Amino acid sequence: MFENDPPKPAKLDLEQLSVDELKQRIEALKADIAACEAEIEKKQAHKSAADDFFKS
């Protein structure tokens, strides 16, 4: 789409993974989701603080 967009990773064939590998992948994805949610909260708090500052 755009030149600066990172390349999309190749689609993982889940059928080739064992049950243990799938469980490990789920845990890794949950950790990534938690990190993303924490970053969202941080950015929202920062934006809220800036909004409050400029309302005054």
Short mmCIF file of all heavy atoms in Angstrom, two decimals:
data_model
loop_
_atom_site.label_atom_id
_atom_site.label_comp_id
_atom_site.label_asym_id
_atom_site.label_seq_id
_atom_site.Cartn_x
_atom_site.Cartn_y
_atom_site.Cartn_z
N MET A 1 0.83 -1.18 0.00
CA MET A 1 0.00 0.00 0.00
C MET A 1 0.88 1.25 0.00
O MET A 1 0.92 1.96 -0.97
CB MET A 1 -0.92 -0.04 1.22
CG MET A 1 -2.07 0.94 1.12
SD MET A 1 -3.18 0.94 2.55
CE MET A 1 -3.74 -0.72 2.61
N PHE A 2 1.58 1.50 1.11
CA PHE A 2 2.50 2.64 1.19
C PHE A 2 3.92 2.12 1.30
O PHE A 2 4.15 1.01 1.75
CB PHE A 2 2.17 3.50 2.42
CG PHE A 2 0.81 4.14 2.35
CD1 PHE A 2 -0.25 3.62 3.08
CD2 PHE A 2 0.59 5.25 1.56
CE1 PHE A 2 -1.51 4.20 3.02
CE2 PHE A 2 -0.66 5.84 1.50
CZ PHE A 2 -1.71 5.32 2.22
N GLU A 3 4.86 2.95 0.90
CA GLU A 3 6.26 2.53 0.92
C GLU A 3 6.75 2.22 2.34
O GLU A 3 7.58 1.35 2.53
CB GLU A 3 7.14 3.62 0.30
CG GLU A 3 6.98 3.73 -1.19
CD GLU A 3 7.90 4.77 -1.77
OE1 GLU A 3 8.97 5.02 -1.21
OE2 GLU A 3 7.53 5.36 -2.80
N ASN A 4 6.26 2.95 3.34
CA ASN A 4 6.75 2.79 4.71
C ASN A 4 6.03 1.69 5.48
O ASN A 4 6.39 1.42 6.62
CB ASN A 4 6.62 4.11 5.47
CG ASN A 4 7.54 5.17 4.89
OD1 ASN A 4 8.52 4.85 4.25
ND2 ASN A 4 7.21 6.42 5.10
N ASP A 5 5.00 1.08 4.89
CA ASP A 5 4.30 0.00 5.58
C ASP A 5 5.22 -1.20 5.71
O ASP A 5 5.88 -1.60 4.75
CB ASP A 5 3.05 -0.42 4.81
CG ASP A 5 1.91 0.56 4.95
OD1 ASP A 5 2.01 1.45 5.82
OD2 ASP A 5 0.93 0.44 4.21
N PRO A 6 5.24 -1.79 6.92
CA PRO A 6 6.07 -2.99 7.07
C PRO A 6 5.45 -4.14 6.26
O PRO A 6 4.24 -4.21 6.10
CB PRO A 6 6.02 -3.29 8.56
CG PRO A 6 4.80 -2.59 9.05
CD PRO A 6 4.57 -1.42 8.13
N PRO A 7 6.28 -5.02 5.76
CA PRO A 7 5.74 -6.15 4.99
C PRO A 7 4.90 -7.03 5.90
O PRO A 7 5.22 -7.22 7.08
CB PRO A 7 6.97 -6.88 4.48
CG PRO A 7 8.07 -6.45 5.37
CD PRO A 7 7.72 -5.07 5.88
N LYS A 8 3.82 -7.57 5.37
CA LYS A 8 2.97 -8.47 6.14
C LYS A 8 3.68 -9.81 6.27
O LYS A 8 4.24 -10.32 5.31
CB LYS A 8 1.62 -8.65 5.45
CG LYS A 8 0.77 -7.41 5.47
CD LYS A 8 -0.58 -7.67 4.85
CE LYS A 8 -1.40 -6.41 4.87
NZ LYS A 8 -2.73 -6.60 4.27
N PRO A 9 3.65 -10.38 7.49
CA PRO A 9 4.29 -11.69 7.65
C PRO A 9 3.52 -12.75 6.87
O PRO A 9 2.31 -12.63 6.67
CB PRO A 9 4.20 -11.94 9.15
CG PRO A 9 3.15 -11.03 9.66
CD PRO A 9 3.06 -9.88 8.70
N ALA A 10 4.24 -13.75 6.44
CA ALA A 10 3.59 -14.85 5.72
C ALA A 10 2.60 -15.53 6.65
O ALA A 10 2.84 -15.66 7.85
CB ALA A 10 4.64 -15.84 5.24
N LYS A 11 1.48 -15.95 6.10
CA LYS A 11 0.46 -16.60 6.91
C LYS A 11 1.00 -17.92 7.44
O LYS A 11 1.58 -18.72 6.71
CB LYS A 11 -0.80 -16.83 6.08
CG LYS A 11 -1.95 -17.35 6.90
CD LYS A 11 -3.23 -17.39 6.12
CE LYS A 11 -4.33 -17.91 7.01
NZ LYS A 11 -5.61 -17.95 6.34
N LEU A 12 0.80 -18.13 8.73
CA LEU A 12 1.29 -19.33 9.39
C LEU A 12 0.28 -20.46 9.18
O LEU A 12 -0.93 -20.27 9.38
CB LEU A 12 1.44 -19.05 10.89
CG LEU A 12 2.01 -20.14 11.74
CD1 LEU A 12 3.43 -20.50 11.28
CD2 LEU A 12 2.05 -19.70 13.19
N ASP A 13 0.75 -21.61 8.77
CA ASP A 13 -0.11 -22.76 8.57
C ASP A 13 -0.28 -23.46 9.92
O ASP A 13 0.58 -24.23 10.35
CB ASP A 13 0.49 -23.71 7.53
CG ASP A 13 -0.45 -24.85 7.18
OD1 ASP A 13 -1.60 -24.88 7.70
OD2 ASP A 13 -0.05 -25.72 6.39
N LEU A 14 -1.38 -23.15 10.59
CA LEU A 14 -1.61 -23.67 11.93
C LEU A 14 -1.75 -25.19 11.95
O LEU A 14 -1.45 -25.82 12.98
CB LEU A 14 -2.85 -23.02 12.54
CG LEU A 14 -2.77 -21.51 12.72
CD1 LEU A 14 -4.09 -20.98 13.27
CD2 LEU A 14 -1.62 -21.10 13.61
N GLU A 15 -2.16 -25.76 10.86
CA GLU A 15 -2.33 -27.22 10.81
C GLU A 15 -1.00 -27.95 10.97
O GLU A 15 -0.97 -29.11 11.37
CB GLU A 15 -3.00 -27.63 9.50
CG GLU A 15 -4.45 -27.22 9.43
CD GLU A 15 -5.12 -27.71 8.15
OE1 GLU A 15 -4.49 -28.47 7.38
OE2 GLU A 15 -6.27 -27.32 7.93
N GLN A 16 0.09 -27.27 10.67
CA GLN A 16 1.41 -27.89 10.76
C GLN A 16 1.98 -27.87 12.18
O GLN A 16 2.99 -28.51 12.45
CB GLN A 16 2.39 -27.19 9.81
CG GLN A 16 1.96 -27.24 8.36
CD GLN A 16 1.85 -28.66 7.84
OE1 GLN A 16 2.69 -29.51 8.11
NE2 GLN A 16 0.79 -28.93 7.09
N LEU A 17 1.34 -27.11 13.09
CA LEU A 17 1.85 -26.98 14.45
C LEU A 17 1.25 -28.04 15.36
O LEU A 17 0.09 -28.42 15.21
CB LEU A 17 1.52 -25.59 15.00
CG LEU A 17 2.12 -24.41 14.25
CD1 LEU A 17 1.66 -23.11 14.88
CD2 LEU A 17 3.63 -24.48 14.21
N SER A 18 2.04 -28.46 16.33
CA SER A 18 1.55 -29.41 17.33
C SER A 18 0.68 -28.68 18.35
O SER A 18 0.64 -27.43 18.38
CB SER A 18 2.73 -30.06 18.06
OG SER A 18 3.38 -29.09 18.88
N VAL A 19 -0.01 -29.42 19.18
CA VAL A 19 -0.85 -28.83 20.22
C VAL A 19 0.00 -27.96 21.14
O VAL A 19 -0.37 -26.83 21.47
CB VAL A 19 -1.59 -29.93 21.02
CG1 VAL A 19 -2.29 -29.35 22.23
CG2 VAL A 19 -2.58 -30.66 20.12
N ASP A 20 1.17 -28.46 21.54
CA ASP A 20 2.04 -27.67 22.41
C ASP A 20 2.52 -26.39 21.73
O ASP A 20 2.58 -25.33 22.36
CB ASP A 20 3.25 -28.49 22.86
CG ASP A 20 2.89 -29.55 23.89
OD1 ASP A 20 1.86 -29.38 24.59
OD2 ASP A 20 3.63 -30.55 24.00
N GLU A 21 2.86 -26.48 20.46
CA GLU A 21 3.27 -25.29 19.72
C GLU A 21 2.14 -24.28 19.60
O GLU A 21 2.35 -23.07 19.73
CB GLU A 21 3.78 -25.67 18.32
CG GLU A 21 5.10 -26.40 18.34
CD GLU A 21 5.49 -26.96 16.98
OE1 GLU A 21 4.59 -27.40 16.22
OE2 GLU A 21 6.70 -26.96 16.68
N LEU A 22 0.92 -24.77 19.41
CA LEU A 22 -0.24 -23.87 19.34
C LEU A 22 -0.47 -23.19 20.68
O LEU A 22 -0.74 -21.99 20.73
CB LEU A 22 -1.48 -24.65 18.90
CG LEU A 22 -1.50 -25.08 17.44
CD1 LEU A 22 -2.63 -26.08 17.20
CD2 LEU A 22 -1.65 -23.88 16.52
N LYS A 23 -0.33 -23.94 21.76
CA LYS A 23 -0.50 -23.36 23.10
C LYS A 23 0.56 -22.29 23.37
O LYS A 23 0.26 -21.24 23.93
CB LYS A 23 -0.45 -24.44 24.18
CG LYS A 23 -1.69 -25.31 24.19
CD LYS A 23 -1.59 -26.39 25.26
CE LYS A 23 -2.84 -27.26 25.28
NZ LYS A 23 -2.77 -28.31 26.31
N GLN A 24 1.79 -22.56 22.96
CA GLN A 24 2.87 -21.58 23.13
C GLN A 24 2.58 -20.33 22.31
O GLN A 24 2.82 -19.20 22.76
CB GLN A 24 4.22 -22.18 22.71
CG GLN A 24 4.74 -23.23 23.65
CD GLN A 24 6.00 -23.91 23.14
OE1 GLN A 24 6.46 -23.64 22.03
NE2 GLN A 24 6.54 -24.82 23.93
N ARG A 25 2.09 -20.52 21.11
CA ARG A 25 1.75 -19.38 20.25
C ARG A 25 0.64 -18.54 20.87
O ARG A 25 0.71 -17.31 20.86
CB ARG A 25 1.34 -19.89 18.87
CG ARG A 25 0.95 -18.78 17.92
CD ARG A 25 1.05 -19.21 16.49
NE ARG A 25 0.41 -18.29 15.59
CZ ARG A 25 0.92 -17.10 15.24
NH1 ARG A 25 2.08 -16.72 15.72
NH2 ARG A 25 0.26 -16.31 14.41
N ILE A 26 -0.36 -19.21 21.42
CA ILE A 26 -1.45 -18.49 22.08
C ILE A 26 -0.92 -17.65 23.23
O ILE A 26 -1.29 -16.48 23.39
CB ILE A 26 -2.54 -19.47 22.57
CG1 ILE A 26 -3.31 -20.02 21.37
CG2 ILE A 26 -3.50 -18.80 23.56
CD1 ILE A 26 -4.24 -21.19 21.70
N GLU A 27 -0.04 -18.22 24.04
CA GLU A 27 0.53 -17.47 25.17
C GLU A 27 1.34 -16.28 24.68
O GLU A 27 1.29 -15.19 25.26
CB GLU A 27 1.38 -18.39 26.05
CG GLU A 27 0.55 -19.41 26.82
CD GLU A 27 -0.57 -18.79 27.65
OE1 GLU A 27 -0.33 -17.80 28.38
OE2 GLU A 27 -1.70 -19.28 27.56
N ALA A 28 2.11 -16.46 23.61
CA ALA A 28 2.89 -15.36 23.06
C ALA A 28 1.97 -14.26 22.54
O ALA A 28 2.23 -13.06 22.75
CB ALA A 28 3.82 -15.86 21.96
N LEU A 29 0.90 -14.65 21.87
CA LEU A 29 -0.05 -13.66 21.35
C LEU A 29 -0.76 -12.93 22.48
O LEU A 29 -0.98 -11.71 22.40
CB LEU A 29 -1.07 -14.34 20.42
CG LEU A 29 -0.50 -14.85 19.09
CD1 LEU A 29 -1.52 -15.71 18.37
CD2 LEU A 29 -0.04 -13.71 18.22
N LYS A 30 -1.10 -13.64 23.56
CA LYS A 30 -1.73 -13.00 24.72
C LYS A 30 -0.78 -11.97 25.33
O LYS A 30 -1.22 -10.89 25.73
CB LYS A 30 -2.11 -14.04 25.77
CG LYS A 30 -3.34 -14.83 25.40
CD LYS A 30 -3.66 -15.85 26.50
CE LYS A 30 -4.88 -16.68 26.17
NZ LYS A 30 -5.16 -17.69 27.22
N ALA A 31 0.50 -12.29 25.38
CA ALA A 31 1.49 -11.33 25.91
C ALA A 31 1.58 -10.11 25.01
O ALA A 31 1.66 -8.98 25.49
CB ALA A 31 2.85 -12.01 26.05
N ASP A 32 1.54 -10.32 23.70
CA ASP A 32 1.57 -9.19 22.76
C ASP A 32 0.32 -8.32 22.92
O ASP A 32 0.40 -7.10 22.88
CB ASP A 32 1.66 -9.69 21.31
CG ASP A 32 3.05 -10.21 20.96
OD1 ASP A 32 4.00 -9.95 21.72
OD2 ASP A 32 3.16 -10.86 19.90
N ILE A 33 -0.84 -8.96 23.09
CA ILE A 33 -2.07 -8.22 23.28
C ILE A 33 -2.01 -7.40 24.56
O ILE A 33 -2.39 -6.22 24.57
CB ILE A 33 -3.29 -9.17 23.29
CG1 ILE A 33 -3.52 -9.74 21.88
CG2 ILE A 33 -4.55 -8.48 23.81
CD1 ILE A 33 -4.49 -10.90 21.83
N ALA A 34 -1.53 -7.99 25.63
CA ALA A 34 -1.40 -7.27 26.90
C ALA A 34 -0.47 -6.07 26.76
O ALA A 34 -0.75 -4.99 27.29
CB ALA A 34 -0.90 -8.21 28.00
N ALA A 35 0.62 -6.24 26.03
CA ALA A 35 1.55 -5.13 25.81
C ALA A 35 0.89 -4.02 24.99
O ALA A 35 1.06 -2.83 25.29
CB ALA A 35 2.82 -5.63 25.11
N CYS A 36 0.11 -4.40 23.99
CA CYS A 36 -0.61 -3.41 23.19
C CYS A 36 -1.64 -2.66 24.03
O CYS A 36 -1.77 -1.44 23.93
CB CYS A 36 -1.30 -4.08 22.00
SG CYS A 36 -0.17 -4.63 20.71
N GLU A 37 -2.38 -3.39 24.86
CA GLU A 37 -3.38 -2.76 25.71
C GLU A 37 -2.74 -1.79 26.70
O GLU A 37 -3.26 -0.70 26.95
CB GLU A 37 -4.20 -3.82 26.43
CG GLU A 37 -5.14 -4.56 25.49
CD GLU A 37 -5.85 -5.74 26.12
OE1 GLU A 37 -5.36 -6.28 27.14
OE2 GLU A 37 -6.91 -6.14 25.58
N ALA A 38 -1.58 -2.17 27.24
CA ALA A 38 -0.87 -1.29 28.17
C ALA A 38 -0.41 -0.01 27.46
O ALA A 38 -0.50 1.09 28.01
CB ALA A 38 0.33 -2.02 28.79
N GLU A 39 0.05 -0.16 26.24
CA GLU A 39 0.50 1.00 25.46
C GLU A 39 -0.68 1.91 25.13
O GLU A 39 -0.56 3.14 25.17
CB GLU A 39 1.21 0.56 24.19
CG GLU A 39 1.87 1.68 23.43
CD GLU A 39 3.01 2.38 24.18
OE1 GLU A 39 3.62 1.74 25.06
OE2 GLU A 39 3.26 3.56 23.89
N ILE A 40 -1.82 1.32 24.81
CA ILE A 40 -3.03 2.12 24.54
C ILE A 40 -3.41 2.92 25.78
O ILE A 40 -3.70 4.12 25.68
CB ILE A 40 -4.19 1.21 24.09
CG1 ILE A 40 -3.95 0.71 22.67
CG2 ILE A 40 -5.54 1.95 24.18
CD1 ILE A 40 -4.90 -0.39 22.23
N GLU A 41 -3.42 2.28 26.94
CA GLU A 41 -3.76 2.98 28.18
C GLU A 41 -2.79 4.13 28.45
O GLU A 41 -3.20 5.22 28.85
CB GLU A 41 -3.77 2.00 29.35
CG GLU A 41 -4.95 1.06 29.33
CD GLU A 41 -4.93 0.07 30.48
OE1 GLU A 41 -4.28 0.34 31.51
OE2 GLU A 41 -5.60 -0.97 30.36
N LYS A 42 -1.52 3.87 28.22
CA LYS A 42 -0.49 4.90 28.43
C LYS A 42 -0.74 6.09 27.50
O LYS A 42 -0.70 7.25 27.93
CB LYS A 42 0.88 4.28 28.17
CG LYS A 42 2.05 5.20 28.35
CD LYS A 42 3.33 4.40 28.15
CE LYS A 42 4.35 5.24 27.42
NZ LYS A 42 5.56 4.49 27.11
N LYS A 43 -1.01 5.81 26.25
CA LYS A 43 -1.23 6.89 25.27
C LYS A 43 -2.52 7.64 25.57
O LYS A 43 -2.57 8.87 25.42
CB LYS A 43 -1.24 6.32 23.85
CG LYS A 43 0.15 5.90 23.40
CD LYS A 43 0.15 5.40 21.99
CE LYS A 43 1.59 5.02 21.62
NZ LYS A 43 1.83 5.05 20.21
N GLN A 44 -3.56 6.93 26.00
CA GLN A 44 -4.81 7.60 26.33
C GLN A 44 -4.64 8.50 27.56
O GLN A 44 -5.18 9.60 27.59
CB GLN A 44 -5.93 6.58 26.57
CG GLN A 44 -6.42 5.94 25.29
CD GLN A 44 -7.42 4.82 25.50
OE1 GLN A 44 -7.44 4.17 26.54
NE2 GLN A 44 -8.25 4.60 24.50
N ALA A 45 -3.88 8.04 28.53
CA ALA A 45 -3.62 8.86 29.72
C ALA A 45 -2.82 10.11 29.34
O ALA A 45 -3.10 11.20 29.83
CB ALA A 45 -2.87 8.04 30.77
N HIS A 46 -1.85 9.94 28.46
CA HIS A 46 -1.04 11.07 28.01
C HIS A 46 -1.91 12.08 27.26
O HIS A 46 -1.82 13.28 27.49
CB HIS A 46 0.09 10.57 27.12
CG HIS A 46 0.99 11.64 26.62
ND1 HIS A 46 1.93 12.26 27.42
CD2 HIS A 46 1.08 12.23 25.41
CE1 HIS A 46 2.55 13.18 26.72
NE2 HIS A 46 2.06 13.19 25.49
N LYS A 47 -2.78 11.59 26.39
CA LYS A 47 -3.66 12.46 25.63
C LYS A 47 -4.64 13.17 26.55
O LYS A 47 -4.89 14.38 26.41
CB LYS A 47 -4.43 11.68 24.57
CG LYS A 47 -5.32 12.57 23.71
CD LYS A 47 -6.12 11.75 22.73
CE LYS A 47 -7.01 12.60 21.84
NZ LYS A 47 -7.87 13.52 22.51
N SER A 48 -5.16 12.46 27.53
CA SER A 48 -6.09 13.05 28.48
C SER A 48 -5.42 14.16 29.28
O SER A 48 -6.01 15.23 29.49
CB SER A 48 -6.63 11.98 29.42
OG SER A 48 -7.52 12.53 30.34
N ALA A 49 -4.19 13.92 29.69
CA ALA A 49 -3.45 14.94 30.44
C ALA A 49 -3.21 16.17 29.56
O ALA A 49 -3.34 17.31 30.02
CB ALA A 49 -2.12 14.37 30.94
N ALA A 50 -2.87 15.96 28.31
CA ALA A 50 -2.65 17.08 27.39
C ALA A 50 -3.94 17.83 27.15
O ALA A 50 -3.95 19.07 27.14
CB ALA A 50 -2.06 16.57 26.08
N ASP A 51 -5.05 17.10 26.97
CA ASP A 51 -6.34 17.75 26.76
C ASP A 51 -6.70 18.61 27.97
O ASP A 51 -7.17 19.74 27.82
CB ASP A 51 -7.44 16.71 26.50
CG ASP A 51 -7.33 16.05 25.14
OD1 ASP A 51 -6.61 16.59 24.28
OD2 ASP A 51 -7.98 14.99 24.97
N ASP A 52 -6.49 18.07 29.17
CA ASP A 52 -6.79 18.82 30.39
C ASP A 52 -5.92 20.08 30.51
O ASP A 52 -6.38 21.13 30.92
CB ASP A 52 -6.60 17.95 31.63
CG ASP A 52 -7.68 16.88 31.77
OD1 ASP A 52 -8.73 17.02 31.10
OD2 ASP A 52 -7.46 15.92 32.53
N PHE A 53 -4.67 19.95 30.13
CA PHE A 53 -3.75 21.08 30.20
C PHE A 53 -4.20 22.22 29.29
O PHE A 53 -4.20 23.39 29.66
CB PHE A 53 -2.34 20.64 29.82
CG PHE A 53 -1.34 21.77 29.79
CD1 PHE A 53 -0.80 22.26 30.96
CD2 PHE A 53 -0.96 22.34 28.58
CE1 PHE A 53 0.12 23.31 30.93
CE2 PHE A 53 -0.04 23.38 28.54
CZ PHE A 53 0.49 23.86 29.72
N PHE A 54 -4.62 21.88 28.08
CA PHE A 54 -5.00 22.90 27.12
C PHE A 54 -6.42 23.44 27.32
O PHE A 54 -6.78 24.45 26.76
CB PHE A 54 -4.81 22.37 25.69
CG PHE A 54 -3.36 22.29 25.31
CD1 PHE A 54 -2.73 21.05 25.18
CD2 PHE A 54 -2.60 23.43 25.11
CE1 PHE A 54 -1.39 20.95 24.84
CE2 PHE A 54 -1.26 23.35 24.77
CZ PHE A 54 -0.66 22.12 24.63
N LYS A 55 -7.24 22.77 28.13
CA LYS A 55 -8.56 23.28 28.47
C LYS A 55 -8.47 24.42 29.48
O LYS A 55 -9.34 25.26 29.54
CB LYS A 55 -9.44 22.16 29.04
CG LYS A 55 -9.98 21.23 27.98
CD LYS A 55 -10.87 20.20 28.60
CE LYS A 55 -11.32 19.17 27.57
NZ LYS A 55 -12.14 18.10 28.19
N SER A 56 -7.43 24.37 30.28
CA SER A 56 -7.28 25.37 31.35
C SER A 56 -6.95 26.73 30.81
O SER A 56 -6.28 26.97 29.90
CB SER A 56 -6.17 24.94 32.30
OG SER A 56 -6.41 23.66 32.79
#
